[in-house]
Amino acid sequence: MPLSSLQTPSCATLSASIQKGRWKMLAAGFSVTLPLPAVHFSHRRSIRASASSSPSPSSSSSLGAGENNELDAVSAFSEIVPDTVVFDDFERFPPTAATVSSSLLLGICGLPDTVFRNAVDMALADSSCAGLETTESRLSCISNKAMVNVGGDLVKLVPGRVSTEVDARLAYDTNGIIRKVHDLLRLYNEIDVPHDRLLFKIPATWQGIEAARLLESEGIQTHITFVYSFAQAAAAAQAGASVIQIFVGRLRDWARNHSGDTEIETAIKSGEDPGLALVRRSYNYIHKYGYKSKLMAAAVRNKQDLFSLLGVDYVIAPLKVLQSLKDSPAIPDDEKYSFVRKLTPETATHYNFTNKELVKWDQLSMASAMGPASVELLSAGVEGYANQAKRVEELFGKIWPPPNV
């Protein structure tokens, strides 16, 4: 039986949990409806800088002559990353980069006819995993193989980098994270994926940031996620993380329902949105002090958020926001939205930081500086990702061995 034809009852059972192509997952402590399977794809237009570089300094000017709609206009300043799905929206928003995660693997098993299903089936039938003695090691091997097989397929589909999620159950284990990345990288080497096409997505715990520092020293590119405080962002920049991801909307949501976080309250007293303020401070810190990290603003909820962040390296935005931008003509000197780059390396040089912010961050200083928002949101994010990784292994445990093994 060809591997591509393998069908399993468990995947069919998972499919039954999908309603109208969407499913529920726990993200940062609350239920979020995501497209299935969810992948962040980077969408780059011809006027945008490449994924491996900052936007061109010439982008610091206002709206140019060749931009016909608002999406063209904002793409001149930042890399726009649609929060899109594997199988839809390619024509509207052509992907140039992607993320492979546990939730994606679950989604692929839920849709057995996808182009990525063979990548998962190949992992399930892999003889090197089948020969392992313990169930735990076998399921870990299959999960690693499935993640890399799908990542390898994505590398062939997009010209940019593919970010591979590192098991969040290792979020507080520096050596465990490093071993996992080395294991994944070895598998990528076996299918001839160049290192410069890969990122490894690691939670912004201190142990995760320390792992990023050590991995980056080996030339392995890292993507730090679940950043909700300046201390995390600055520590990740000092560690040399290639990409630092801040969740704008989630900080705003926390602030609406909680109090007692000094960093958030300081931003609000200054008339700033706490999520947008964190992106601005982090961007200015990175550029003023010459760190190599690229900054990604995620959980952007509306066009005003996006316009407020023009100039940040990457912006993840919902499809409804991007479609609205695409459908709206770019009007110079628009009274509602200003097509002017808000974040630039030049303005960063004039930003003033306190002595407390300019420390050499270590585990104690970062923990002391993180307020309740970042502690709670980081913990919830790690828990959500860990649950997804556990679900993948549980699913593989139910459907292994496949019929031909």
Side-chain angles (χ1 to χ4, degrees):
M1 178 184 298
L3 291 176
S4 59
S5 68
L6 291 176
Q7 304 292 327
T8 63
S10 295
C11 279
T13 301
L14 183 59
S15 296
S17 69
I18 304 164
Q19 298 180 356
K20 297 181 181 179
R22 305 181 75 84
W23 68 318
K24 294 282 186 178
M25 70 171 285
L26 184 70
F30 47 89
S31 184
V32 180
T33 302
L34 292 177
L36 176 67
V39 183
H40 288 151
F41 279 120
S42 174
H43 161 72
R44 183 174 65 234
R45 306 176 79 84
S46 60
I47 55 176
R48 191 186 299 133
S50 70
S52 61
S53 64
S54 299
S56 168
S58 64
S59 298
S60 60
S61 61
S62 58
L63 184 63
E67 293 133 7
N68 298 319
N69 58 51
E70 290 181 343
L71 183 56
D72 289 328
V74 299
S75 296
F77 306 112
S78 297
E79 185 91 9
I80 306 303
V81 183
D83 191 358
T84 188
V85 299
V86 173
F87 310 106
D88 301 322
D89 309 302
F90 276 22
E91 284 195 24
R92 287 190 297 160
F93 308 108
T96 65
T99 297
V100 57
S101 63
S102 296
S103 62
L104 175 59
L105 295 183
L106 290 171
I108 291 169
C109 283
L111 297 172
D113 59 342
T114 76
V115 295
F116 298 105
R117 180 56 197 272
N118 186 59
V120 175
D121 290 337
M122 291 290 288
L124 285 164
D126 189 274
S127 60
S128 63
C129 296
L132 296 175
E133 293 184 1
T134 67
T135 300
E136 181 181 0
S137 60
R138 182 168 58 249
L139 294 179
S140 177
C141 176
I142 293 171
S143 296
N144 288 349
K145 288 271 188 178
M147 194 83 74
V148 168
N149 288 349
V150 173
D153 284 350
L154 288 170
V155 165
K156 297 172 186 175
L157 292 175
V158 300
R161 293 181 290 184
V162 171
S163 186
T164 302
E165 178 187 293
V166 176
D167 192 336
R169 291 172 293 182
L170 301 171
Y172 300 95
D173 180 357
T174 296
N175 292 330
I177 292 170
I178 292 172
R179 283 194 299 269
K180 176 65 75 171
V181 171
H182 285 166
D183 288 344
L184 294 169
L185 194 58
R186 175 179 53 80
L187 295 176
Y188 274 118
N189 288 339
E190 290 177 3
I191 58 174
D192 298 322
V193 176
H195 291 195
D196 62 0
R197 298 291 308 282
L198 298 170
L199 290 161
F200 292 93
K201 194 172 185 180
I202 300 169
T205 60
W206 173 255
Q207 293 81 0
I209 291 171
E210 180 66 4
R213 181 183 70 80
L214 295 169
L215 290 166
E216 292 281 352
S217 71
E218 299 176 27
I220 300 171
Q221 299 178 107
T222 59
H223 173 175
I224 294 294
T225 190
F226 298 140
V227 173
Y228 297 103
S229 67
F230 177 77
Q232 289 172 288
Q238 289 182 1
S242 295
V243 176
I244 299 171
Q245 185 172 350
I246 294 173
F247 291 84
V248 174
R250 295 182 192 175
L251 276 169
R252 181 183 304 150
D253 294 339
W254 192 94
R256 285 173 177 164
N257 300 299
H258 303 81
S259 60
D261 189 291
T262 302
E263 188 170 344
I264 287 178
E265 290 177 354
T266 299
I268 293 173
K269 287 178 182 178
S270 301
E272 295 183 282
D273 174 89
L276 298 176
L278 177 56
V279 173
R280 282 193 286 268
R281 286 172 71 204
S282 302
Y283 178 93
N284 289 333
Y285 180 81
I286 289 168
H287 285 274
K288 182 169 183 173
Y289 297 105
Y291 294 108
K292 73 170 190 177
S293 304
K294 305 298 181 186
L295 197 62
M296 176 179 284
V300 169
R301 301 286 170 75
N302 52 58
K303 290 204 293 188
Q304 187 56 61
D305 284 349
L306 200 154
F307 284 110
S308 298
L309 295 170
L310 292 183
V312 72
D313 300 289
Y314 308 103
V315 180
I316 297 179
L319 289 182
K320 64 179 181 179
V321 171
L322 299 185
Q323 190 62 53
S324 176
L325 291 168
K326 190 172 183 179
D327 293 341
S328 303
I331 303 172
D333 303 319
D334 187 294
E335 293 184 1
K336 188 174 182 180
Y337 301 119
S338 175
F339 298 102
V340 176
R341 183 171 178 177
K342 304 299 193 300
L343 303 173
T344 70
E346 293 77 17
T347 57
T349 62
H350 303 293
Y351 192 91
N352 293 319
F353 291 91
T354 67
N355 290 334
K356 290 183 179 180
E357 293 171 324
L358 296 179
V359 300
K360 179 69 172 86
W361 294 96
D362 57 23
Q363 184 172 6
L364 178 60
S365 60
M366 190 180 96
S368 299
M370 289 174 65
S374 54
V375 171
E376 291 174 21
L377 291 171
L378 170 63
S379 177
V382 168
E383 182 181 359
Y385 272 26
N387 286 339
Q388 294 297 320
K390 182 179 179 181
R391 284 184 60 196
V392 167
E393 291 186 354
E394 289 174 348
L395 175 60
F396 288 165
K398 292 175 181 177
I399 63 181
W400 190 91
N404 64 330
V405 173

